[in-house]
Amino acid sequence: MMQFIDLASQYQQLKEQINKRIKVVLNHGKYIMGPEVHEFEERVADYVGVKHTISCANGTDALQLAMMVLDIKEGDAVFCPTFTFFASAEVIAFFKATPVFVDVDEQTFNICPKNLEKQIEQVISCGKLIPKAIIAVDLFGLPANFPEINRIAEKFQLKTIEDAAQGFGGEIKGRRAGSFSDIATTSFFPAKPLGCYGDGGAIFTNNDEYAELLRSLRVHGKGLDKYDNIRIGMNSRLDTIQAAILLEKLAVFSQELQARNNAADTYTALLNENVIAPIIPQGYISSWAQYTVTTNTRDELLVKLKDKEIPAVVYYEKCMHQQSAFSELNYYEWNFPVAEKLAKQVISLPMHPYLKKSDIEEIANIIRQ
């Protein structure tokens, strides 16, 4: 059966290297914050092009740690797209700040700079909240429009957070995802472009003070050692076995990323007017966490793909402003027309580095029919 994300094939390719790495950890027994964690942080920082990588337990913790570093609190407004995974907005509310949702661009699915500026101006005009930060998500692997986002952030003196949970490996004019903002986060959930065999995450920054604070906060706010607690923190560490696995996956990540882009190019070349293929702006590279098309006949297509035992997934059927958890914010459906339209049209097709051309041709043939 065709796989939506084929982790088994990837493991068979890397089995010898991964097993060897895991065995080294089992022999030295340093399962928490072992040497592989520090090695991985250094290598990832070099890959992304930032001074500091601070690993943690998962992508949501990475966002929460970013909120703590930026001192997000009650009375603050943090702007984020409404078409995203729940964690992007959840972490804002977790610190009792107010998520202010923003519509998205119809072609890229990412936060719309024009609507972002409009929402910031409305919050300022209302005067009830203090605009504090922007969370921009690299949805489906494509970096958000950070040249415009950073311009807007500078105009209104806001901090920027890049949620690169899906975007690791993406680029804008040679710069890699994770390097575009004051602080960036990612996830190493198994299904991500760079994923481990459990949970994991990381924070990226060029700010030395942020990095020092993050290293303290991820271990209970430690000072000189774990029994010297100088602030309230959390327990969020990437375990050593996951770091060992990620080191071997990172070693082949560039080749896998190229394979993902080749698969995406094949999809786009074979699809017809029955769906709208993803659009990659000039100068951008997507990491293709998902290959997501839009269609007015999504339900029919889902049924036909299921009949042929081809997995397809809908991300995301319900926008953030429609979630029950945010009902008290009193958003109305007409506020975000593009996001609501996309939520009814998007469908993600199988995408991974080991996807066969014949599989893509089979999927494209069903869509053409």
Side-chain angles (χ1 to χ4, degrees):
M1 181 178 174
M2 194 184 304
Q3 299 297 309
F4 186 71
I5 297 171
D6 195 347
L7 295 175
S9 291
Q10 184 191 49
Y11 175 62
Q12 290 306 314
Q13 291 288 325
L14 303 175
K15 185 175 183 178
E16 184 177 346
Q17 302 96 301
I18 288 175
N19 288 355
K20 184 178 178 180
R21 277 280 190 178
I22 292 174
K23 187 176 180 181
V24 170
V25 177
L26 295 175
N27 283 331
H28 69 55
K30 298 174 183 176
Y31 300 116
I32 303 296
M33 301 298 287
E36 286 79 5
V37 173
H38 303 292
E39 181 184 354
F40 177 66
E41 289 179 340
E42 289 177 2
R43 292 198 184 183
V44 171
D46 183 62
Y47 178 85
V48 172
V50 293
K51 289 176 66 176
H52 305 284
T53 292
I54 298 89
S55 61
C56 61
N58 55 69
T60 303
D61 279 5
L63 283 168
Q64 289 188 356
L65 286 162
M67 297 289 103
M68 294 169 79
V69 166
L70 297 179
D71 192 29
I72 302 300
K73 56 186 180 298
E74 188 171 5
D76 291 339
V78 179
F79 303 85
C80 76
T82 187
F83 190 60
T84 185
F85 181 61
F86 188 65
S88 304
E90 177 185 33
V91 296
I92 303 169
F94 185 82
F95 289 95
K96 300 188 183 303
T98 301
V100 178
F101 299 121
V102 182
D103 211 348
V104 294
D105 181 272
E106 190 166 5
Q107 292 188 326
T108 67
F109 309 147
N110 281 326
I111 193 167
C112 173
K114 289 183 179 179
N115 192 250
L116 171 61
E117 193 159 6
K118 177 182 176 182
Q119 298 289 357
I120 295 170
E121 289 171 344
Q122 286 182 347
V123 168
I124 293 171
S125 176
C126 187
K128 294 181 179 179
L129 299 170
I130 300 171
K132 193 73 169 284
I134 301 163
I135 296 178
V137 181
D138 299 336
L139 203 67
F140 303 146
L142 180 68
N145 186 352
F146 278 98
E148 273 298 293
I149 293 164
N150 288 334
R151 179 193 66 78
I152 293 167
E154 186 175 353
K155 177 181 177 180
F156 294 101
Q157 297 183 307
L158 305 179
K159 295 295 184 180
T160 55
I161 300 136
E162 179 185 359
D163 181 350
Q166 298 177 21
F168 187 87
E171 295 183 15
I172 303 177
K173 296 181 178 179
R175 285 183 60 184
R176 286 186 169 137
S179 69
F180 302 124
S181 56
D182 294 297
I183 193 165
T185 67
T186 199
S187 167
F188 301 122
F189 182 78
K192 295 294 190 280
L194 181 65
C196 54
Y197 291 157
D199 240 329
I203 307 102
F204 310 111
T205 186
N206 287 314
N207 187 305
D208 295 338
E209 292 182 8
Y210 289 176
E212 182 180 1
L213 185 53
L214 285 163
R215 292 188 179 101
S216 169
L217 288 169
R218 71 172 170 179
V219 188
H220 301 290
K222 76 178 184 71
L224 296 175
D225 58 56
K226 66 180 180 179
Y227 299 116
D228 175 32
N229 306 102
I230 58 177
R231 56 179 59 88
I232 301 299
M234 60 194 298
N235 178 28
S236 184
R237 299 167 293 191
L238 179 68
D239 77 67
T240 309
I241 287 179
Q242 299 304 337
I245 292 164
L246 286 165
L247 278 165
E248 291 306 322
K249 289 197 174 189
L250 182 63
V252 299
F253 184 70
S254 294
Q255 298 97 292
E256 290 193 342
L257 187 61
Q258 185 58 57
R260 285 176 178 271
N261 275 273
N262 291 342
D265 290 344
T266 303
Y267 264 128
T268 301
L270 293 175
L271 296 176
N272 66 358
E273 67 276 0
N274 288 343
V275 299
I276 299 174
I279 293 173
I280 307 301
Q282 187 174 3
Y284 285 64
I285 294 175
S286 176
S287 63
W288 297 109
Q290 280 84 37
Y291 186 89
T292 304
V293 300
T294 56
T295 174
N296 290 321
T297 57
R298 182 177 71 188
D299 292 345
E300 181 183 352
L301 180 56
L302 279 168
V303 170
K304 290 190 178 297
L305 290 170
K306 185 178 180 181
D307 288 345
K308 298 291 185 179
E309 297 188 325
I310 295 172
V313 179
V314 174
Y315 305 97
Y316 301 95
E317 285 187 287
K318 187 181 285 189
C319 299
M320 290 302 99
H321 68 279
Q322 298 168 324
Q323 299 288 342
S324 299
F326 296 125
S327 59
E328 64 183 28
L329 297 177
N330 295 318
Y331 281 105
Y332 299 99
E333 293 207 358
W334 47 262
N335 283 344
F336 309 99
V338 176
E340 289 163 20
K341 179 183 177 184
L342 290 174
K344 297 173 183 177
Q345 293 181 335
V346 293
I347 177 172
S348 296
L349 305 175
M351 169 54 74
H352 55 81
Y354 304 93
L355 191 61
K356 298 176 182 176
K357 185 177 180 182
S358 59
D359 291 337
I360 299 174
E361 290 172 341
E362 181 183 355
I363 295 167
N365 186 50
I366 293 170
I367 292 172
R368 284 198 299 269
Q369 292 173 0

